[in-house]
Amino acid sequence: MGEKVSIGEASRRCGVKVPTIRYYEQIGLLPAPPRTEANRRTFDPGYLRRLAFIRHARELGFEIDAIRTLLTLQDDPHQPCATADAIARARFAEVEQRIDSLNALKAELGVMIESCRHGKVGDCRVIEVLADHSQCTRPHH
Amino acid sequence: MGEKVSIGEASRRCGVKVPTIRYYEQIGLLPAPPRTEANRRTFDPGYLRRLAFIRHARELGFEIDAIRTLLTLQDDPHQPCATADAIARARFAEVEQRIDSLNALKAELGVMIESCRHGKVGDCRVIEVLADHSQCTRPHH
DNA sequence: CATTGCTCCTCTAGTCGCTAGAGGATGTAG
DNA sequence: CTACATCCTCTAGCGACTAGAGGAGCAATG
């Protein structure tokens, strides 16, 4: 079944851009794949799985370094998964925090936009609120 | 009242780090302030207001380029504020989107963490879900 | 067989918004 | 007078890519 594919095909299948794949190889997140006689990279199914793993983890906002750790964990299935769990939990906390602060932001922006009466800049609440932090409803930041 | 202050004082008052102030000057977001005889920058109250404006806008997530526009708008109070309004609305939409996608992410991470039974990596749901996108509850990304 | 056009290769440099550090001059307190 | 803080300029680095130059190979059509 699984045969070797070109970098373009790997890109299409995994949803990772060609230069990004090369970049991952360059920084050592992925090993250098074997080449054809014409010096082109060839990707086997295992490699594609790793690539898809990375893509998914990146979408979930994990940093490259965290992914590096997760990948090495994945390679040794007998290790306890406490590390993987900790990484996921840390990311969860980050995301929660980020949501909170974005919600505060959204409220702030909402007030700004609401109270803009679309006149001249001189009376614009958007500009005014930006100019004066003390007008913020909450000390969100 | 308003007298001229040093870069360190400006930094303290506006909550913008010293190198960042110099950086803003370098990229032309702020004008080059006058200097003392000993070549030190001096900041007057008007400059400090601009700096505070920038800081607040950055906290609200506006990009430097947007801030550049907002600053020039601020300088001409007779212009209609439609542009400022549009910038704020665009940012609002961005924030909303970001919140949505972070909520999806949070759910995903929550499921991962919940179903990790803290055994070996080989059975770890965290690793497993990352490796297989199709296990995601929703096609959030 | 030749040409066209796509994919691939390497390499360097750019993006954004800072941040860090070197190396040196000046200001302030004890 | 001597510390030490603050200031100056300049260059380089961060993360995670992205863009572009310049060149080679491969597949399909005429």
Side-chain angles (χ1 to χ4, degrees):
Chain A
M1 29 161 271
E3 259 343 285
K4 301 199 153 228
V5 300
S6 71
I7 198 168
E9 187 57 26
S11 167
R12 254 164 270 129
R13 291 203 198 167
C14 299
V16 179
K17 288 186 194 151
V18 169
T20 305
I21 297 174
R22 289 198 277 248
Y23 167 73
Y24 288 158
E25 179 188 332
Q26 188 194 300
I27 61 166
L29 184 61
L30 283 171
R35 306 278 185 123
T36 66
E37 285 186 12
N39 197 34
R40 283 152 187 235
R41 291 170 179 83
T42 56
F43 301 86
D44 64 19
Y47 203 105
L48 295 184
R49 270 195 300 277
R50 287 178 94 85
L51 194 47
F53 183 97
I54 293 171
R55 188 218 165 175
H56 197 189
R58 287 292 302 139
E59 278 172 350
L60 290 170
F62 289 92
E63 291 176 8
I64 298 282
D65 258 12
I67 297 174
R68 219 183 278 272
T69 306
L70 290 170
L71 276 172
T72 64
L73 282 177
Q74 199 189 20
D75 285 342
D76 187 357
H78 300 298
Q79 282 205 283
C81 70
T83 308
D85 193 56
I87 291 172
R89 275 171 200 279
R91 179 73 196 135
F92 186 87
E94 260 174 53
V95 169
E96 269 197 316
Q97 259 220 327
R98 191 91 187 100
I99 290 171
D100 285 353
S101 98
L102 284 177
N103 272 323
L105 228 68
K106 186 180 157 185
E108 210 63 68
L109 286 166
V111 170
M112 266 169 61
I113 292 166
E114 273 293 300
S115 53
C116 172
R117 290 173 307 283
H118 309 289
K120 302 297 179 194
V121 165
D123 316 309
C124 182
R125 285 283 297 161
V126 170
I127 299 271
E128 205 179 315
V129 172
L130 280 173
D132 185 3
H133 192 163
S134 72
Q135 293 190 27
C136 280
T137 45
R138 276 168 296 170
H140 53 95
H141 38 251
Chain B
M1 29 160 271
E3 257 346 283
K4 298 196 154 231
V5 299
S6 72
I7 197 168
E9 186 58 25
S11 168
R12 255 165 267 129
R13 291 202 197 165
C14 300
V16 179
K17 288 185 194 153
V18 169
T20 305
I21 298 174
R22 288 197 277 248
Y23 168 74
Y24 288 159
E25 179 187 333
Q26 189 194 301
I27 60 167
L29 184 61
L30 283 171
R35 307 279 185 123
T36 66
E37 285 187 13
N39 197 34
R40 281 154 189 234
R41 290 170 180 84
T42 56
F43 301 86
D44 64 20
Y47 202 105
L48 295 185
R49 270 196 299 277
R50 285 177 95 85
L51 194 47
F53 182 97
I54 294 171
R55 189 217 164 175
H56 196 189
R58 287 294 301 140
E59 278 171 350
L60 290 170
F62 290 92
E63 291 177 8
I64 297 283
D65 257 11
I67 297 175
R68 219 184 279 273
T69 305
L70 290 171
L71 275 172
T72 63
L73 283 177
Q74 199 190 18
D75 285 342
D76 187 357
H78 300 298
Q79 284 205 282
C81 70
T83 309
D85 193 54
I87 291 172
R89 275 172 201 281
R91 178 71 195 136
F92 186 86
E94 259 175 53
V95 169
E96 267 196 318
Q97 258 219 328
R98 191 89 188 104
I99 289 171
D100 285 354
S101 98
L102 284 178
N103 272 324
L105 228 67
K106 186 181 158 184
E108 211 61 71
L109 286 166
V111 171
M112 267 170 59
I113 291 166
E114 274 292 300
S115 54
C116 171
R117 289 172 308 283
H118 308 289
K120 302 295 180 196
V121 166
D123 315 312
C124 183
R125 285 283 297 160
V126 170
I127 299 272
E128 204 179 314
V129 172
L130 280 172
D132 184 3
H133 192 165
S134 72
Q135 292 191 28
C136 279
T137 47
R138 275 168 296 168
H140 53 93
H141 40 254

